[in-house]
Amino acid sequence: MRINLAVYSCRFLLLTTKNTDSNFLRVLQGICGIKNVHPGSTNESYGKDEATKKNYSFQYLVKPSNEGEIAQIVKACNLYGIPLTPRGGGSGLAGGASPVKGGVVLSTERLNNIIRISTEDKFVIAESGVVTDELCKAIEVKNLYLPVRPSSAPVSFIGGNVASNCGSINSLKYGSIKDYVLNLQVVLPNGEIIWTGANTSKNSTGLNITQLFVGSEGILGIITKVVLKLISKPKYEYTLLAEFSTLDKLYNAIISVGSSVLEPSALELVDEFSSNLTTEFLSGTSSLERSFSKAMLLVNFDGNHQHLMEEKLEHCFHLIENLASGEVLIAKTEAEKEKLWKIRMNIGAALSYGNRIYRDIDIAVPVSKLLEFMSSIKRISNQFNIKVACFGHAGNGNLHTMISVDNLSDIENPNFIQAVDQIYKSGIEMGGTISGEHGVGILQKKYLPLQYNQAYLSLVKEIKRVFDPNNIINPGKILD
Ligand SMILES: Cc1cc2nc3c(=O)[nH]c(=O)nc-3n(C[C@H](O)[C@H](O)[C@H](O)COP(=O)(O)OP(=O)(O)OC[C@H]3O[C@@H](n4cnc5c(N)ncnc54)[C@H](O)[C@@H]3O)c2cc1C
């Protein structure tokens, strides 16, 4: 009843007072309560995500508590012609949650209930605003496992993970979040509410609308509930770390381990620049195994049989021992593993220490092109005199190419822009994709025509128009 009244009253106000700001505010307050509607001017942190250092100004921050309220907000935005930007944890690295056209920011933070974890059906049903780490912990209490857990899990939301099709360090073995989404509840831009799939492990019924929403970055509607497939949690996870004196040797180790029968869950590289920078950043803390100055490879194995795990470690050691430089380190306990992963997990912090900032590019290339791609990045960085840290998901050919600068204005420098353009061009020429896991947002949209032809781009625009003819939901993103 409250839903109908709110929509009805917003129509009435529109007719009698010509779309004034205060009327729109009252409509929003009528829908989700005065205390859940805030002025944008006093909530600046919602005006950006982790990609853009710039705050975009917007009118209102709304914090609805359920899909019914969201449906009414969307209808009101359509009626008043006000843009709406959906927001999860705001940890995105493509600018997707930045309200570039102002209007309303819709935070899903109050949709934070885990509805059901089924051990028989091996799925979880959760609202989209549940913090990823909290969801993973609740799942693991039941001896189940959601293997795709991004490094941002303490702050990201599960709805944001699905909307950006996130990956994680063990995507090599387990894929991206798209491989776990069974069903989604979505509020469409016209305010209708749908379920996109079924809570079954198999479903061959009709168009795969579920996957259309995975990675749609909030431009087609607002995800309000997710149903995710779960697996059994492996009992053991071991880590191996090796250093390499040249990129060639590191690459040969990646190919050798990645194409073996060993099935590592993670195969992550850290280049020499990142290794040195982060060792220096962490120096003085007692948390490092030792200091590192060369490029390194981290390999994870997981499984349920200890003797098989030992065999895998030994096999892996033999594959890389002639390529590696110095001692190969192995970690089996949580404390040991944390020490070995410390450098890899702190590169972003090292790169943003003090006033430093970075521009993250997350191109993925076929693994066979990884050496060529890294050599090309090196060439470009020398040519344009820029500092680049390369690290990440080597097993997937998905690198974080982070260009380090001293301040924001450097990013607008034509020399910097040319270097970035060259890196994208080079990755695409090698058969790569613009984004392996962060999405397009505003940061990477300029490069879409490098990867897709005009017919593809027009089709995407048409799909957006079908869902959102008034271009209300997350305008300015992907192709807009
Ligand atoms: C330190 C750090 C580590 C990171 N590590 C990883 C990593 O390991 N793997 C990885 O893939 N990414 C990583 N990221 C990037 C980011 O965390 C992921 O993209 C994450 O999935 C974003 O989730 P979020 O809830 O913060 O989404 P937001 O940033 O809030 O939003 C992301 C996009 O999804 C849309 N959106 C959000 N919620 C909804 C919803 N309910 N319905 C519809 N659209 C919605 C937004 O409009 C936006 O376009 C990292 C970022 C940081 C800062």
Side-chain angles (χ1 to χ4, degrees), residues 183-243:
N183 198 1
L184 297 171
Q185 186 192 60
V186 176
V187 176
L188 297 173
N190 65 3
E192 297 289 339
I193 300 171
I194 59 164
W195 281 97
T196 60
N199 300 353
T200 52
S201 59
K202 290 182 78 184
N203 178 19
S204 190
T205 318
L207 296 184
N208 196 339
I209 301 290
T210 304
Q211 290 299 334
L212 188 57
F213 276 94
V214 177
S216 63
E217 300 183 57
I219 69 164
L220 299 180
I222 296 144
I223 299 165
T224 44
K225 291 193 180 85
V226 301
V227 185
L228 303 172
K229 175 177 87 173
L230 303 173
I231 61 172
S232 303
K233 186 167 166 57
K235 275 194 198 143
Y236 305 101
E237 187 181 52
Y238 293 166
T239 298
L240 180 149
L241 183 153
E243 287 185 276

Side-chain angles (χ1 to χ4, degrees), residues 49-50 85-93 95-98 108 128-129 132 149-153 155-169 216-219 221-224 344 358 393 400 437-438 441 474 477:
D49 65 6
E50 288 297 321
T85 304
R87 184 181 178 90
S91 70
L93 289 169
S98 296
T108 51
S128 57
T132 315
R149 186 178 189 157
S151 312
S152 52
V155 290
S156 71
F157 295 175
I158 194 65
N161 296 155
V162 171
S164 56
N165 187 19
C166 78
S168 67
I169 60 158
S216 63
E217 300 183 57
I219 69 164
I222 296 144
I223 299 165
T224 44
R344 164 67 183 89
Y358 59 79
H393 319 303
H400 294 291
E437 57 180 25
H438 295 160
N474 217 0
K477 309 294 164 55

